[in-house]
Every structure is written in structure tokens, then in C-alpha cells.
Amino acid sequence: MKNEGIEGTERFLSPDKGRGLRALRHFAVGELVFACPAYSYVLTVNERGAHCEHCFTRREDLFKCGKCKQAYYCNVDCQRGDWPMHKLECVAMCSYGENWCPSETVRLVARIIMKQRATTERTPSERLLLLKEFEAHLDKMDSEKEEMNQTDIAALHHFYSRHISNLPAEQALTELFAQVNCNGFTIEDEELSHLGSAVFPDVALMNHSCSPNVIVTYKGTVAEVRAVKEINPGEEIFNSYIDLLYPTEDRKERLLDSYFFTCQCTECTSRSKDKAKMEIRKLNPPPETEEIRSMVHYAKNVIEEFRRAKHYKTPSELLEMCELSLEKMGAIFADTNVYMLHMMYQAMGVCLYMQDWDGAMSYGEKIVQPYSVHYPAYSLNVASMYLKLGRLYLGLEKKTQGVKALKKALAVMEVAHGKDHHYVAEVKREIEEQK
């Protein structure tokens, strides 16, 4: 296809930010700015059997690929549609058996390589930005990132060299992996559970702000970009690249580490939410500055330690880790402090996994109100928390509280996902069933 652009927007050079996306007309809150089909995508292994490999539809009556018995589809059309990509893995999964374990990034890159070979023209995902224009930031990568890149390249050769003839040269692969790591997206469901990974070139054109004016949601394998603030003609369109719960220093650190820039957005310069996010327990006498600094250091360490522990500790050990850290931090931090909320959220996740519904509900109740304060308006994190809580209440036969929480989720979702989204229809149905 020829370059037709995206109606109502234009690519432009943003001061100090490089290329970006600008509005050419007014967009109201909740209005769809544009939709972008995935250039390439891959369903995460854990969701196989629950979602169609091709269209990501969630349903119970999927049928599996007759050869590998691993990929599931809605129907023959979805299976045929996916075959050009699935054939890469189908034979490999059969021959490697349980030893077939490439990372999701490696699987995605393999698909991108095949797509690039089959497609010579600009795709509908690249109306404003070509995938080959993605920034790689190779000059800014530290030795740890370079090592991870090399591990991924080795895995690509190991699992795919028999099935993709003439893989690109080392330098080209180094660049492609770096481009995907910096510009890739994770597709999530309405409760923010991970469904897969993808590249959406036109969505990647948008620059970051910690106070974004659009939000990205997914309808199957299509990304939809909707306004969450009024956008006027001439204004730049900003998405958020990261979780916005944390204070300014943490966000800046994360953006520099993952995306190689120092954020200078209005939220980072005003730090307007930092005081509330770092709320200290009211004590007499109040804690010393050094005590607070030391507890922040502990909090950051325990968050990282927990992230690693997820891979080897049992659920009950993980829950104990959450409880101990909350007890320690709670001596200085208020319950609304974001580090407390982070560990409560982890604890809630473990309780859900262990089917401890009362435990999960108790954590959710502590989280949901502070979330509404710390996150921007129409945040998916707030919607998903109300949704989880609403569904927990209904499961525990707390009908009034359940409906109330689902309605709060719905108010956000109708703006963020759009009123015609199947997730919105699902929540409406859940509310209706309680009448």
C-alpha cells in the first residue's frame, strides 16, 4: 500500500523528542484517534488453549492443531490465517518436544523476519512509521543488555535455523532485537493479564508522557488509541510507555533504563503527585529523613527480590514475603504509599492464584481507592482493580458491592476501550445478571 497517513493526525518533528504524532483536528475524551493492526504478534504460551492463536479470541470451544497439539483456533479460517507463522513453530515443537522453549521475544522476532520476507510493500500497520525506522539505541546499551541480546540471537539460531533459511547476519539481528525490545508492546486483557507480544509501528511513533492524552487498548490483535483528555489541533499526542504508579525519580530511572531518554513532561517537572505517592505514616515524633531514605532503599530492593523470587518460590513463600515486607514498610509508610501498594498488589495476585478469595478481596479493598488518586483519569490499572474486586465480591455473594465495583470499572472502560468493545459488553452482561 502507498503511504496514506492516518486521518486527523500527522507525523512531525517534536522539539527535543525526535519524530512524534500531532493532532490535526479536535479529539474528544473517549474518541478513537486511530487503530493499528499488529505488524507481527505472538500469543503467550500460558494462554494456549484459552485464546485463539490467530485472532486472540477468548473462548472455551477452541480446537487444536492436529500436528503439534499445542496451538488452538476458533475455526479452520483462523488456523489457515495463522499457518504462515505457525508453521515456523509447529515442526520445531514436534521435534524438540518439551525442550522447545524460546522466549516470547525470540518467537516474535522469528515472525517479524518471516513477515519482512513475505512483504515488500508498506503494510497497514506502517501508515506513518516503517518498522525498519524503529530506533535501536545500540550505542546506549550496557553490557547486560548486550548479553541478553546475544542470548536471544543464540536461541533464535538454535530453535529456528532449521526452519528459517539464511537467517539475517549477526549485526542485523542485533539491531532487530534491540528495535523490538525498545518498540514492542505487550497485549493485555481487561484485567491486565498478559496475552502476548506484538509490534505496532504507528503506535510506536507516539512519544511518552507521564500525563498522557491517549491510552492504548487492544481488540484482538489490533491496537486502538483513544483520547483520555481533550486534544486540540496542533497538540502532540502522547502515550505512556510505563506504569505510572511510581514517583518521579522511579519513573525517570525506568524510562532511562528501558527507553534511553530523560523524561521532561509536565508531571516530571511539577512532581505534583510525589508527596501523596510517598505518604509517610503520621508518627510522633515523625521519622527522620535518613530513616525514610533507608526504607525507600529497602522497598526498591524487596520489589526486585520479589520479581526474581516469582520464578522459584512457592506461592505461600511469596505471600509470606509480601506480608513481612508490608509489616516492615508499614512502620514508616502509610498504607497509601506506592511501595506499600506495590506489595499489596503482589500479595493480591498470589491470593488469587491460591484461590484465597477473602485474602485477595481484603488486599483489593486497600488498593483501589489510592489507585484512583495516584493514577491519571481513565487508567486501565484502576479499571482492572475495580473489575477484579467486583468479580471477587460477586463470587463471594456480596452482590451490592460487586455491582458497584463493576459499574466503576465500566465508567473507565467505556472511555478507554470504547463503548462497542466486547470487554465492555461482557461487564455490562455481568451487571445485568445481578438484577
Side-chain angles (χ1 to χ4, degrees):
M1 65 179 275
K2 65 179 191 294
N3 184 8
E4 291 171 357
I6 293 172
E7 194 188 339
T9 71
E10 68 175 353
R11 174 174 163 167
F12 80 118
L13 269 179
S14 177
D16 305 321
K17 293 187 180 73
R19 58 197 174 211
L21 187 66
R22 179 163 60 191
L24 292 175
R25 67 169 180 84
H26 174 263
F27 289 97
V29 171
E31 191 175 348
L32 182 71
V33 179
F34 71 97
C36 176
Y39 178 93
S40 283
Y41 60 91
V42 60
L43 182 76
T44 197
V45 170
N46 292 344
E47 290 298 332
R48 285 191 157 157
H51 290 260
C52 172
E53 202 91 12
H54 181 59
C55 70
F56 280 30
T57 297
R58 177 172 59 200
R59 52 193 284 182
E60 287 175 8
D61 57 345
L62 299 168
F63 75 91
K64 58 185 161 189
C65 168
K67 285 186 182 171
C68 68
K69 312 277 194 291
Q70 301 280 332
Y72 288 74
Y73 299 99
C74 297
N75 48 43
V76 175
D77 289 341
C78 278
Q79 187 173 18
R80 282 197 191 118
D82 195 47
W83 180 243
M85 292 301 153
H86 177 59
K87 68 181 177 187
L88 280 178
E89 297 185 343
C90 193
V91 185
M93 285 194 291
C94 292
S95 56
Y96 280 103
E98 286 183 6
N99 295 320
W100 188 83
C101 56
S103 72
E104 201 157 300
T105 305
V106 170
R107 294 175 64 209
L108 180 60
V109 167
R111 288 167 180 238
I112 290 170
I113 291 166
M114 292 306 286
K115 173 88 177 230
Q116 286 176 326
R117 288 187 181 177
T119 317
T120 49
E121 290 193 350
R122 184 182 279 268
T123 68
S125 315
E126 304 170 292
R127 287 179 287 171
L128 291 173
L129 184 72
L130 295 166
L131 186 137
K132 65 184 180 191
E133 291 182 274
F134 278 179
E135 291 281 1
H137 298 293
L138 289 174
D139 56 326
K140 295 172 187 158
M141 279 167 57
D142 58 22
S143 55
E144 190 185 343
K145 285 194 173 63
E146 282 173 3
E147 206 174 299
M148 282 164 65
N149 225 340
Q150 289 310 309
T151 305
D152 280 342
I153 290 169
L156 182 75
H157 279 284
H158 179 74
F159 291 109
Y160 291 94
S161 56
R162 276 190 252 167
H163 314 288
I164 304 178
S165 57
N166 304 322
L167 277 168
E170 189 85 358
Q171 186 53 36
L173 286 178
T174 300
E175 187 169 356
L176 183 54
F177 272 105
Q179 287 172 317
V180 170
N181 283 325
C182 214
N183 296 277
F185 288 80
T186 57
I187 296 179
E188 294 167 327
D189 70 8
E190 78 278 32
E191 288 193 4
L192 298 188
S193 295
H194 179 80
L195 298 184
S197 296
V199 281
F200 300 97
D202 287 335
V203 184
L205 174 62
M206 290 185 290
N207 285 312
H208 165 86
S209 170
C210 299
S211 180
N213 52 13
V214 296
I215 202 160
V216 181
T217 54
Y218 303 96
K219 196 178 268 182
T221 61
V222 174
E224 294 189 328
V225 177
R226 279 191 172 74
V228 288
K229 290 181 182 176
E230 295 275 333
I231 304 173
N232 292 311
E235 286 182 359
E236 182 162 2
I237 297 171
F238 289 111
N239 175 31
S240 170
Y241 295 178
I242 57 167
D243 187 337
L244 296 172
L245 179 66
Y246 305 94
T248 304
E249 286 312 316
D250 295 24
R251 296 195 312 273
K252 284 186 167 229
E253 211 174 285
R254 170 76 207 283
L255 289 163
L256 191 58
D257 180 60
S258 301
Y259 301 100
F260 310 102
F261 70 90
T262 302
C263 189
Q264 302 290 353
C265 74
T266 51
E267 195 53 52
C268 284
T269 47
S270 71
R271 298 172 178 252
S272 66
K273 292 189 170 186
D274 281 7
K275 193 172 184 300
K277 289 182 176 188
M278 294 302 294
E279 192 70 45
I280 304 301
R281 196 169 287 289
K282 288 176 175 50
L283 300 168
N284 193 7
E288 299 284 334
T289 309
E290 192 43 52
E291 280 181 283
I292 297 169
R293 195 178 291 131
S294 165
M295 194 57 81
V296 169
H297 182 69
Y298 166 78
K300 288 181 178 181
N301 281 346
V302 86
I303 286 169
E304 183 52 35
E305 199 184 317
F306 185 87
R307 192 182 63 79
R308 287 197 296 264
K310 278 180 174 177
H311 301 293
Y312 62 86
K313 288 198 177 208
T314 65
S316 47
E317 285 172 331
L318 290 171
L319 191 57
E320 187 183 10
M321 200 174 163
C322 292
E323 287 164 351
L324 289 171
S325 66
L326 285 165
E327 192 180 331
K328 181 166 178 173
M329 291 190 293
I332 293 209
F333 295 157
D335 281 358
T336 57
N337 183 295
V338 294
Y339 297 129
M340 294 285 283
L341 294 171
H342 179 102
M343 291 314 289
M344 285 180 200
Y345 182 81
Q346 301 304 325
M348 183 183 181
V350 178
C351 287
L352 287 170
Y353 182 80
M354 294 167 77
Q355 299 188 356
D356 171 8
W357 310 128
D358 286 301
M361 180 187 72
S362 151
Y363 281 116
E365 286 174 336
K366 288 178 185 168
I367 295 167
V368 74
Q369 208 44 52
Y371 262 28
S372 306
V373 175
H374 298 326
Y375 278 108
Y378 309 112
S379 160
L380 296 176
N381 301 76
V382 175
S384 73
M385 187 49 66
Y386 274 120
L387 202 50
K388 285 177 186 172
L389 207 44
R391 287 169 174 171
L392 275 169
Y393 283 141
L394 294 182
L396 293 165
E397 297 183 357
K398 295 175 185 285
K399 183 174 159 179
T400 310
Q401 288 159 283
V403 169
K404 192 177 171 186
L406 289 183
K407 283 182 174 174
K408 291 209 168 183
L410 192 61
V412 177
M413 291 171 72
E414 286 187 331
V415 171
H417 291 85
K419 292 185 177 178
D420 63 342
H421 199 288
H422 54 272
Y423 289 156
V424 168
E426 233 168 83
V427 178
K428 279 184 175 170
R429 192 167 57 246
E430 287 171 69
I431 293 169
E432 275 302 308
E433 282 167 4
Q434 299 308 312
K435 286 184 177 173

